[in-house]
Amino acid sequence: MTGCTGTGPTSSPSPGSETVASPVTDSAPYWCDFLPQRAVRTVSGLTLPLQEDKSGVPAAHEICTLRNQYTRLSVVWSMRDGDNVLNLARKNFGAHQLAALPADLGKGLIAYTGRSPRTNPYYTMMLFRCGDTRPWISVDLSEVAKGRDPVSDLTQLLSIARVRYGELHKCTPAAS
């Protein structure tokens, strides 16, 4: 996989191929409030320094990016308009879908566009319920480490993000 150069086509590791055994675990410190730094590095294989940038209104919506030369990961979340965002994600990435989310996480998808790492070809989106709200979280990533199972890893990252969302917003996450 062309990871750091951003040149040439990339290929997605297939979920059925031999995978690396390191688990994706939840532990502080976090990037973008929701993703354990260690887990992001395990999944992506990125070892270079990353700069975190956040914007938005922490009580309602936020955009967070991790950058080094270009955006390596972004997390976007909001408490509003989840159904429309999910419909747009399906329209834009449905043809590239690797998997639907497990029903217990909510509605959403995991996709791989096959584009260069600079475009963050791994895209995930999840719509779920948390108390009386229906928030959504999307995570897009520049690369997945060779030998990793992107569907399993990204599903685990989304699961951790949903739990963290509940902790930070004092609600109990459930499927939508």
Side-chain angles (χ1 to χ4, degrees), residues 34-96:
F34 301 133
L35 302 177
Q37 290 181 15
R38 186 173 181 195
V40 168
R41 291 204 183 274
T42 296
V43 170
S44 68
L46 294 170
T47 58
L48 44 84
L50 296 169
Q51 176 183 333
E52 180 183 70
D53 294 309
K54 287 196 242 181
S55 63
V57 180
H61 59 89
E62 204 163 54
I63 297 171
C64 178
T65 60
L66 299 179
R67 295 186 52 83
N68 182 305
Q69 299 168 335
Y70 58 89
T71 299
R72 303 300 182 132
L73 178 142
S74 67
V75 176
V76 180
W77 70 268
S78 180
M79 293 181 176
R80 292 180 238 141
D81 211 21
D83 289 308
N84 286 333
V85 172
L86 179 57
N87 288 339
L88 184 59
R90 286 181 173 148
K91 179 180 175 184
N92 290 336
F93 302 107
H96 304 286

Side-chain angles (χ1 to χ4, degrees), residues 121-166:
Y122 290 93
Y123 177 82
T124 65
M125 194 274 180
M126 126 180 97
L127 173 62
F128 59 100
R129 185 163 297 288
C130 205
D132 294 333
T133 64
R134 289 186 66 222
W136 59 271
I137 299 172
S138 72
V139 177
D140 58 330
L141 185 62
S142 64
E143 56 205 274
V144 170
K146 185 173 174 77
R148 300 287 313 181
D149 178 342
V151 171
S152 175
D153 286 351
L154 294 170
T155 299
Q156 290 175 61
L157 280 178
L158 286 176
S159 180
I160 292 168
R162 192 179 81 154
V163 168
R164 288 284 301 154
Y165 180 93

